[in-house]
Amino acid sequence: MYQGLHLANALKIVRANALAETALAAAKYPASGAFVDVLGARWVTILVHLGTVHASDTPALQVQEVTAINGTPVSISGLLCEVAANDDGEFVVFHIDPTYMTDGYRYLTLDVSDVANGSFGDITYLLYMDSQPATQPATLPSASVFSLPATS
């Protein structure tokens, strides 16, 4: 699909939560005002790497679409995953083709619920762009892209 392109030129990375070491709360990731804009993306992958899932939690992960960066999210049918307490260290992967999103909706968020006892996870959005994104989030270290041969 992206033959001959550098990953850094075709992929925009958006972290949805601050640190994997921080327990998940029943919330939207990212929160209102910071929903992920998928305009210009061919595909979006939401990658959830679960840490320790508390034995009393049964986390539910629901992908939602939104019309505005601070709008009201609406669940996307079929994009729900209910996690078991013994799913420590597992990955949950959602693939979204933005052309199938409801007309007028261009933002995404992941609604996490049924976590109250200290379950952990890292949520990352991967946007497969037609061209290099204008900016990457400031949370990426300056030396996060490596190339061989080296480019200047």
Side-chain angles (χ1 to χ4, degrees):
M1 180 170 159
Y2 289 103
Q3 222 170 7
L5 292 178
H6 288 284
L7 184 65
N9 292 342
L11 189 68
K12 180 177 179 181
I13 302 167
V14 180
R15 293 190 64 175
N17 57 336
L19 296 170
E21 299 86 21
T22 304
L24 294 171
K28 311 263 187 249
Y29 292 91
S32 180
F35 295 144
V36 177
D37 186 349
V38 300
L39 186 65
R42 287 188 183 188
W43 282 95
V44 177
T45 298
I46 303 173
L47 180 63
V48 182
H49 182 209
L50 298 169
T52 301
V53 179
H54 192 279
S56 299
D57 286 346
T58 54
L61 311 171
Q62 173 69 61
V63 179
Q64 297 180 322
E65 59 185 357
V66 193
T67 58
I69 200 159
N70 59 352
T72 303
V74 176
S75 294
I76 299 176
S77 179
L79 293 181
L80 167 69
C81 178
E82 295 177 340
V83 177
N86 63 350
D87 283 341
D88 296 358
E90 296 292 328
F91 284 93
V92 177
V93 180
F94 296 99
H95 292 289
I96 299 107
D97 179 346
T99 62
Y100 286 92
M101 291 172 62
T102 306
D103 284 342
Y105 287 75
R106 65 179 254 199
Y107 297 90
L108 290 174
T109 189
L110 185 69
D111 182 63
V112 177
S113 59
D114 301 326
V115 289
N117 300 295
S119 293
F120 296 83
D122 187 38
I123 303 167
T124 304
Y125 288 72
L126 306 173
L127 285 75
Y128 302 89
M129 309 300 288
D130 286 327
S131 61
Q132 185 172 5
T135 60
Q136 289 280 9
T139 55
L140 288 178
S142 59
S144 62
V145 178
F146 301 91
S147 180
L148 185 65
T151 58
S152 50

